[in-house]
Amino acid sequence: MEHNNKCEMNKKDAVELTRRFGSPLYVFDEDDFISNYHELLESVKSIYPKYNIAYSYKTNYAPYICKIVKNLGGYAEVVSGMEYQVARKLGYEPKNIVFNGPMKGSELYEHIDHDGVANIDNLDELDLVVSHIKANPDKNYRLAFRVNIDIEQGYVSRFGIDADNGDLEYAFRTIADIKNAEVVGIHCHVGRSRSLSAWKKRVEIMFRLIDKHFTSIPQFVDLGSGMNSIMEPALAAQFGDQIPTYLEYAEIIGKAFFNRYGDLPVDEQPELITEPGTTVISAYISFLTTVNSIRKVKGKDIITVDGSVGNTGDICDYKQLPITVNRIGECRNVKDANIVGYTCLEADILYRSYSGVVGVSDIIEFRNVGSYSNVFKPPFIYPNCAMIAISVNHEPVIFKRKETMEDVFMTYKF
């Protein structure tokens, strides 16, 4: 099965969409997102059927997208009370919400009071949860621990309970002494480590921790996120090594779980969960922005657009996004030009060293901006733009309207 790779939209569509819905504009390709989601899900399930996706809300919490995931049977992975409330408003039951994060808020107690499982991130949080459990002796509680493991990734993560210094042993002992609570799962997340070897190491360590700390098979094992997303060749080349396919990840993860638990009855097998965000959404949102001016400053070509680097996510800090310039205006030749945003910040650079033909009023499509883009965009100088969904099954749908000055200033007093 090949990756479903999102391609550039044609000029006619780019022009028509900005004419109808304004510029700048986020465009979500609903059909390709669903196809990609199914590809990841089925790649792992074909090897270890008791697998599910918990979609990372922090990556892009647009309710329209989160609802699609819910309709596809996926879980919600949230890291704050705000995100938890979004999931609940979309109709999720606590049992289908994976609650992570170092500072969950008071919603944590609502969650565990209604049969939700929280992945406890640190010992101070554990103390608070234990106090709550002891204050409610007539209720039974299910918990899990987020563990901080070392897969030799070259940095120290700030998240989770240290699995190597005695903290994790203390956490398990603490819950073992409480009659109305049990540890039913274990969770890890290792950022910046997307290679197949990193995933193999992750699984091996988690199995060792299960053998050490669990007296019976856990109800679930959550391996977090960290698979490469779908990328166009020009972007993939910037990451150097060959980008693994979903089937290659599944060969590592699914086979390890099947070899360990596959002979058990299904109801005794642990559920395998991963928490993709970027993996499933990044390639399926584009950002359309219009050229406002072109100038030469001390020999440097500068193209200013009506969007900003805040619209495109943190990927612009270290990679060049794939772009298409849809020519509309009177064309000029530029060389090594910076495409910059509307803000008054020198660092607002969306693309470096563009050479080619461009004109005022041209529409530039930035692709692969689905993750950490609209959720990162600050209310700085201009409000955020609209978001629309396109699909062969329906007309374009506005699922986030363009923000106004009133939206930005509604919490301030004049």
Side-chain angles (χ1 to χ4, degrees), residues 120-137:
I120 304 303
D121 176 79
N122 57 78
L123 296 186
D124 289 323
E125 183 176 66
L126 178 62
D127 288 343
L128 294 173
V129 168
V130 166
S131 295
H132 181 80
I133 292 172
K134 289 181 176 178
N136 293 275

Side-chain angles (χ1 to χ4, degrees), residues 125-406:
E125 183 176 66
L126 178 62
D127 288 343
L128 294 173
V129 168
V130 166
S131 295
H132 181 80
I133 292 172
K134 289 181 176 178
N136 293 275
D138 295 333
K139 291 183 178 180
N140 293 316
Y141 291 90
R142 300 186 304 135
L143 304 175
F145 294 131
R146 177 174 187 166
V147 294
N148 184 302
I149 61 176
D150 180 12
I151 64 166
E152 301 172 2
Q153 68 265 34
Y155 72 97
V156 176
S157 172
R158 69 186 183 93
F159 301 109
I161 299 172
D162 196 320
D164 302 310
N165 70 351
D167 284 355
L168 189 59
E169 286 86 347
Y170 169 82
F172 271 94
R173 286 198 309 269
T174 299
I175 299 303
D177 291 337
I178 302 174
K179 292 182 179 180
N180 61 326
E182 63 176 329
V183 180
V184 299
I186 191 167
H187 168 272
C188 73
H189 170 75
V190 185
R192 310 179 201 168
S193 303
R194 300 178 181 272
S195 68
L196 295 174
S197 60
W199 275 90
K200 184 174 185 294
K201 186 88 171 177
R202 187 186 310 200
V203 173
E204 289 172 351
I205 293 174
M206 293 294 277
F207 284 168
R208 288 203 298 267
L209 293 176
I210 290 169
D211 290 339
K212 181 177 181 180
H213 296 290
F214 284 84
T215 56
S216 60
I217 295 171
Q219 293 177 15
F220 70 86
V221 180
D222 187 335
L223 297 179
S225 63
M227 297 181 192
N228 279 110
S229 61
I230 307 307
M231 305 180 205
E232 295 179 38
L235 181 57
Q238 298 175 52
F239 286 82
D241 297 333
Q242 181 70 31
I243 303 299
T245 66
Y246 292 155
L247 277 175
E248 288 175 316
Y249 283 118
E251 286 287 318
I252 296 292
I253 306 164
K255 275 194 174 179
F257 273 77
F258 181 81
N259 290 340
R260 185 178 174 96
Y261 300 115
D263 290 337
L264 296 174
V266 173
D267 61 349
E268 294 180 17
Q269 297 172 1
E271 182 175 31
L272 168 61
I273 299 171
T274 65
E275 302 168 352
T278 297
T279 309
V280 293
I281 189 60
S282 62
Y284 303 103
I285 294 183
S286 292
F287 179 65
L288 300 179
T289 183
T290 302
V291 175
N292 178 266
S293 67
I294 304 169
R295 73 184 79 183
K296 189 180 288 288
V297 180
K298 294 181 172 57
K300 180 70 175 178
D301 286 324
I302 305 292
I303 303 166
T304 303
V305 297
D306 63 0
S308 82
V309 72
N311 291 112
T312 54
D314 64 343
I315 190 172
C316 278
D317 293 339
Y318 56 95
K319 303 294 181 188
Q320 292 271 58
L321 287 170
I323 67 170
T324 299
V325 177
N326 295 283
R327 292 165 52 186
I328 298 174
E330 182 178 341
C331 296
R332 310 181 199 181
N333 285 301
V334 297
K335 184 178 181 181
D336 295 328
N338 282 349
I339 302 175
V340 303
Y342 59 73
T343 72
C344 300
L345 298 177
E346 295 286 4
D348 189 1
I349 303 173
L350 290 78
Y351 195 94
R352 290 172 171 80
S353 300
Y354 171 79
S355 296
V357 178
V358 66
V360 173
S361 299
D362 285 359
I363 297 168
I364 303 180
E365 177 192 3
F366 287 82
R367 294 183 295 284
N368 209 91
V369 301
S371 61
Y372 303 107
S373 51
N374 54 292
V375 295
F376 267 21
K377 165 66 173 69
F380 180 61
I381 298 183
Y382 279 105
N384 210 349
C385 61
M387 304 183 75
I388 66 167
I390 57 173
S391 168
V392 296
N393 299 317
H394 56 66
E395 283 291 300
V397 174
I398 299 176
F399 62 89
K400 182 187 186 304
R401 64 167 173 78
K402 179 180 179 180
E403 294 174 0
T404 66
M405 183 278 285
E406 286 78 12

